[in-house]
């Protein structure tokens, strides 16, 4: 349905407008009507969604009076339109009378003198005066009357010669442009009102706004609830009648606001903040923001709980797992599948393979992502201390215990997940207590006989062979089968060597003062890929930190990488044999062969010191 309509006053105006409203103005609806008939047409159009109606003169004023909520554009009569009409009338008579409403009468006498005509002007105030004015003009000797379409109609009925002032195409187009601007402005205003309504509806704050006269203009849903009044009955009324103790009239009078005042409304206490609204240094309104004290107290309790559990947040996501090797992508895909469940996950991998990174990513991709993520290293604390940390204790439960008691990590992890890193280091007695918690989903603090239900997902991790530990009696079989539900092996770095260059560059940028200030040479990348990395990703990250700290040039040479690797403590990853030719053994042999066994020359060829070469030869 079009949003703009043009109401022509007669057939001639209708035909002119029809030819004009083509192309880019084809969306303007064209109708016809004069005075009361035009009002009926406009009322029907407004009911069908038309927002702006274009008409002229008395008809436009009649529509606006009957439909105040409808935007009405009055086609203005330009001096050119009046000049054209008077020029056409001069062919029929020399003594003319302009009988019209302003502004059609503006400049009529001057234009007449320019054309050499005797023009008298009869300015109308009411439609009922048209007939009297026409007859008076005729009595004064006017040979022809010029005016609007209604004046022309009345004059013809009275037998007085007349000629209407026609609407020029320029005037019609100007009216269409004005109507479009009005419709656009209304659309923008609707959008703003919708946004304001959405903000008022979604906020937890109660908002009351008044205009410069102290009358309510805005009353949010929360404010209606707190003040126990309805928007329909409050908006437009003095705020003193709606909320006698609002203090907003004082803010209007003084231009001063208040912050955080506590007041009673009915049986509730509220906190109120008042702010005057100033435009160009003048106070034009005021706004009060109100909160239910009980709501603030609940928020404070929530914040306190968050503070107690501060730090228990998982920050890593699967997007933070770096590498594109098939082995790593397979582990990520499996972890994503595990994340969708609530079952216990057992992560197994060598040191430095990113077990906690995967644990956090699994939590953040799970339905429990909004709950806490509590991580504990089971190897970092002795048995009794670890037990008190995991399960908590009552006041005075043991020597040195806090007199306030302490919630355990399982309690803090309620609704979320707990990450038990290096679980193989947990003593057998504590393993039995952990098994009971996993089976019963309840914990009992040290020194208490009360069982506290907990809803916690367990993610465990180890770099040990649990099967071997069970065979040796160092790990409980029943606990193993309880945690070994979803097993996720993490590949060591030596099994995804294609990821090493990219990881090295990333770690080098992270460690450098100027990211992008270092670049690995092909030889350096090759040396990194040949290394076995018993410390895996953590070892690679530490090595790049040493490179960033000691190297000042852009290109990182192979010799520097080999020297830093040579200075690292020797070791092998658990459960594997050294790879033949590792640690540069083949390169040492080749250098010695090329230099005829001269150690100094071979060291220079390799870009390392003579003593470093001797150490590597002894190790080989």
């Amino acid at each position: 349905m079009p949003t703009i309509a043009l109401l022509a006053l007669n057939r001639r105006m209708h035909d002119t407008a029809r030819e004009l409203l083509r192309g880019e103005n084809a969306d303007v609806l064209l109708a016809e009507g004069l005075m009361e008939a035009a009002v009926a047409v406009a009322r029907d159009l407004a009911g069908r969604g038309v927002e702006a109606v274009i008409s002229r003169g008395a008809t436009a004023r009649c529509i606006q009076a009957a439909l105040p909520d409808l935007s009405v554009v009055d086609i203005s009569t330009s001096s050119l339109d009046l000049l054209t009409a008077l020029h056409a009338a001069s062919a029929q008579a020399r003594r003319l009378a302009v009988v019209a409403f302003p502004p059609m009468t503006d400049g009529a006498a001057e234009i007449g003198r320019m054309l050499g005509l005797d023009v008298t002007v009869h300015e109308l105030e009411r439609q009922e005066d048209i007939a009297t004015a026409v007859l008076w003009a005729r009595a004064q000797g006017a040979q022809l009357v010029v005016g609007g379409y209604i004046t022309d109609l009345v004059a013809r009925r009275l037998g007085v010669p007349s000629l209407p002032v026609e609407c020029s195409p320029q005037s019609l187009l100007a009216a269409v442009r004005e109507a479009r601007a009005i419709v656009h402005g209304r659309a923008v205003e609707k959008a703003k009102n919708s946004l304001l309504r959405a903000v008022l509806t979604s906020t937890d704050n109660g908002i009351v706004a008044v205009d410069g006269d102290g009358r309510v203009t805005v009353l949010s849903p929360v404010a209606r609830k707190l003040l126990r009044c309805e928007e329909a009955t409050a908006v437009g009324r003095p705020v003193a009648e709606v909320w006698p103790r609002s203090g907003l009239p004082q803010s209007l009078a003084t231009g001063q606001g208040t912050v955080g005042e506590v007041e009673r409304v009915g049986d509730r206490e509220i906190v109120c903040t008042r702010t005057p609204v100033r435009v160009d240094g003048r106070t034009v309104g005021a706004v009060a923001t109100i909160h239910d004290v009980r709501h603030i107290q609940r928020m404070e309790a929530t914040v306190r709980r968050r503070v107690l559990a501060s730090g228990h947040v998982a920050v890593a996501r699967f997007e933070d797992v770096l590498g594109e090797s098939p082995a790593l992508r397979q582990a990520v895909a499996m972890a994503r599948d595990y994340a969708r469940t609530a079952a216990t996950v057992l992560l197994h991998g060598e040191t430095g393979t990113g077990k906690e990174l995967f644990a956090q990513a699994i939590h953040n991709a799970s339905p429990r992502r909004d709950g806490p993520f509590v991580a504990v290293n089971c190897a970092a604390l002795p048995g009794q201390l670890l037990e008190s940390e995991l399960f908590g204790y009552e006041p005075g439960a043991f020597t040195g215990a806090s007199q306030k008691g302490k919630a355990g990590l399982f309690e803090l992890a309620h609704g979320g997940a707990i990450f038990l890193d290096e679980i193989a280091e947990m003593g057998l007695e504590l393993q039995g207590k952990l098994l009971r918690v996993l089976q019963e989903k309840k914990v009992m603090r040290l020194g208490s006989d009360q069982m506290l239900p907990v809803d916690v997902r367990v993610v465990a991790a180890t770099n040990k062979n649990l099967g071997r530990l069970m065979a040796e009696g160092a790990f409980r079989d029943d606990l193993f089968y309880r945690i070994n539900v979803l097993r996720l092996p993490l590949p060591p770095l030596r099994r995804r060597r294609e990821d090493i260059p990219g990881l090295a560059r990333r770690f080098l940028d992270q460690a450098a003062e100027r990211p992008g200030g270092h670049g690995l040479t092909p030889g350096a990348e090759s040396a990194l890929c040949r290394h076995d990395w018993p410390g895996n990703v953590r070892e690679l990250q530490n090595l790049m930190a040493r490179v960033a700290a000691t190297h000042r040039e852009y290109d990182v040479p192979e010799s520097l990488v080999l020297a830093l690797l040579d200075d690292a403590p020797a070791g092998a990853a658990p459960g594997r044999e050294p790879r033949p030719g590792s640690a540069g053994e083949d390169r040492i042999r080749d250098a010695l062969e090329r230099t005829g066994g001269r150690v100094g020359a071979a060291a220079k060829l390799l870009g390392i010191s003579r003593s470093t070469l001797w150490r590597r030869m002894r190790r080989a």
Side-chain angles (χ1 to χ4, degrees):
M1 177 67 190
T3 57
I4 300 174
L6 191 153
L7 288 185
L9 305 186
N10 56 25
R11 178 51 52 180
R12 184 184 305 171
M13 182 178 174
H14 184 280
D15 294 342
T16 300
R18 183 179 57 194
E19 293 299 321
L20 193 65
L21 299 179
R22 295 181 183 272
E24 62 181 16
N25 291 314
D27 60 325
V28 178
L29 183 66
L30 183 60
E32 187 174 337
L34 186 68
M35 300 304 290
E36 288 76 11
V39 171
V41 174
R43 182 176 285 110
D44 177 66
L45 292 173
R48 291 156 55 191
V50 168
E51 298 180 21
V53 168
I54 302 170
S55 190
R56 196 178 85 162
T59 298
R61 289 190 291 273
C62 190
I63 295 173
Q64 189 67 84
L67 303 171
D69 294 334
L70 181 65
S71 296
V72 180
V73 177
D74 190 352
I75 303 172
S76 62
T77 302
S78 67
S79 297
L80 179 60
D81 295 339
L82 183 58
L83 173 62
T84 302
L86 291 176
H87 183 268
S90 66
Q92 303 179 38
R94 305 304 296 177
R95 298 186 65 184
L96 307 176
V98 175
V99 180
F101 292 93
M104 187 180 290
T105 56
D106 295 346
E110 290 78 4
I111 294 174
R113 284 194 295 270
M114 292 171 56
L115 295 175
L117 302 174
D118 181 8
V119 177
T120 59
V121 178
H122 302 266
E123 192 172 282
L124 299 172
E125 294 182 0
R126 301 181 307 161
Q127 180 182 338
E128 293 81 1
D129 298 334
I130 294 178
T132 302
V134 168
L135 293 174
W136 177 247
R138 183 67 167 173
Q140 287 185 318
Q143 299 168 319
L144 187 143
V145 172
V146 176
Y149 289 119
I150 298 177
T151 298
D152 178 59
L153 184 62
V154 171
R156 292 181 183 276
R157 288 176 179 173
L158 295 173
V160 178
S162 65
L163 189 70
V165 178
E166 301 288 353
C167 294
S168 66
Q170 293 80 6
S171 298
L172 288 173
L173 288 176
V176 170
R177 287 193 295 269
E178 183 180 350
R180 288 194 186 282
I182 291 174
V183 170
H184 175 71
R186 292 182 60 154
V188 171
E189 193 64 27
K190 284 181 181 178
K192 289 182 179 179
N193 289 337
S194 297
L195 179 60
L196 176 61
R197 178 66 59 180
V199 171
L200 294 177
T201 302
S202 61
T203 183
D204 290 335
N205 302 330
I207 298 175
V208 181
V210 298
D211 59 17
D213 296 325
R215 294 184 178 274
V216 177
T217 58
V218 173
L219 193 70
S220 74
V222 174
R224 295 200 299 268
K225 182 177 179 181
L226 292 176
L227 301 178
R228 296 179 179 176
C229 59
E230 295 299 326
E231 184 178 27
T233 57
V235 171
R237 291 173 57 197
V239 70
E241 298 178 5
V242 178
W243 181 16
R245 301 183 63 182
S246 70
L248 290 175
Q250 290 82 351
S251 294
L252 287 174
T254 64
Q256 302 295 320
T258 59
V259 178
E261 290 190 355
V262 178
E263 297 181 8
R264 177 167 289 278
V265 176
D267 60 345
R268 298 185 183 185
E269 286 189 331
I270 64 170
V271 178
C272 179
T273 297
R274 305 174 185 87
T275 305
V277 179
R278 303 180 66 84
V279 177
D280 296 331
R282 186 170 59 91
T283 302
V284 298
V287 177
T289 305
I290 56 180
H291 312 266
D292 188 338
V293 170
R294 292 177 297 182
H295 177 66
I296 296 177
Q297 292 170 340
R298 288 193 296 268
M299 291 178 62
E300 181 186 15
T302 301
V303 171
R304 286 184 180 274
R305 288 195 298 269
R306 293 285 179 88
V307 170
L308 289 174
S310 61
H312 301 309
V313 178
V315 296
R317 303 180 184 278
F318 284 117
E319 292 76 9
D320 300 318
V321 180
L322 305 178
E324 297 297 332
S325 61
L328 183 66
R329 290 299 100 191
Q330 181 180 0
V332 170
M334 187 180 298
R336 287 185 183 276
D337 290 338
Y338 290 173
R340 290 193 290 267
T341 75
T344 301
V345 178
L346 176 60
L347 303 171
H348 181 268
E350 298 173 6
T351 181
T353 50
K355 293 185 286 296
E356 183 163 0
L357 174 68
F358 269 83
Q360 292 189 19
I362 289 172
H363 176 71
N364 276 329
S366 74
R368 294 172 175 261
R369 63 179 67 88
D370 294 329
F373 177 86
V374 179
V376 55
N377 189 323
C378 299
L381 300 172
Q384 184 176 7
L385 184 55
L386 178 60
E387 180 181 356
S388 67
E389 287 295 315
L390 288 175
F391 308 135
Y393 56 85
E394 292 296 315
F398 52 87
T399 303
S402 170
Q403 294 305 308
K404 296 180 180 180
K406 183 179 179 181
L409 296 179
F410 268 93
E411 292 180 56
L412 292 180
H414 181 73
I418 188 168
F419 175 52
L420 302 176
D421 196 11
E422 298 191 50
I423 193 172
E425 305 300 326
M426 187 181 292
L428 287 172
E429 181 180 357
L430 186 53
Q431 289 179 29
K433 295 181 178 180
L434 174 62
L435 176 64
R436 178 171 293 276
V437 171
L438 299 183
Q439 289 174 336
E440 299 182 0
K441 299 186 182 301
K442 296 178 181 179
V443 295
M444 185 168 61
R445 293 183 180 182
L446 294 179
S448 173
D449 58 359
Q450 298 294 319
M451 300 293 289
L452 300 174
V454 289
D455 175 22
V456 178
R457 183 185 194 176
V458 174
V459 180
T462 182
N463 60 2
K464 299 293 181 64
N465 187 327
L466 293 183
R468 185 189 307 163
L469 292 178
M470 286 190 295
E472 295 171 355
F475 200 84
R476 295 179 59 119
D477 296 20
D478 45 8
L479 178 59
F480 172 76
Y481 293 118
R482 173 65 64 176
I483 65 174
N484 190 34
V485 181
L486 302 176
R487 186 177 179 85
L488 180 62
L490 301 182
L493 199 52
R494 66 182 181 278
R495 292 182 184 167
R496 53 187 191 103
R497 296 183 184 276
E498 57 266 56
D499 290 337
I500 292 176
L503 288 170
R505 288 190 292 269
R506 175 68 67 88
F507 294 148
L508 191 57
D509 279 347
Q510 290 176 352
E513 294 180 359
R514 295 182 298 107
H518 292 93
L520 296 169
T521 62
E525 290 188 0
S526 178
L528 293 173
C529 291
R530 291 194 305 270
H531 186 62
D532 273 352
W533 303 107
N536 291 289
V537 177
R538 186 180 298 114
E539 181 186 0
L540 175 61
Q541 187 173 17
N542 293 341
L543 179 69
M544 291 301 100
R546 292 197 295 274
V547 169
T550 59
H551 193 61
R552 292 293 176 264
E553 299 179 3
Y554 177 78
D555 289 326
V556 178
E558 178 183 7
S559 58
L560 176 62
V561 171
L562 291 173
L564 293 176
L565 285 173
D566 184 69
D567 290 339
R576 65 178 179 89
E577 296 297 327
R579 183 175 60 86
S582 64
E585 184 179 326
D586 293 339
R587 289 178 53 79
I588 294 173
R589 187 180 297 110
D590 179 67
L592 290 171
E593 289 177 356
R594 292 171 61 186
T595 58
R598 292 176 295 166
V599 174
K604 185 176 182 180
L605 182 63
L606 291 169
I608 59 178
S609 68
R610 185 187 184 95
S611 59
T612 297
L613 179 56
W614 275 115
R615 287 198 305 271
R616 294 179 61 187
M617 289 169 62
R618 285 196 299 270
R619 184 184 303 169

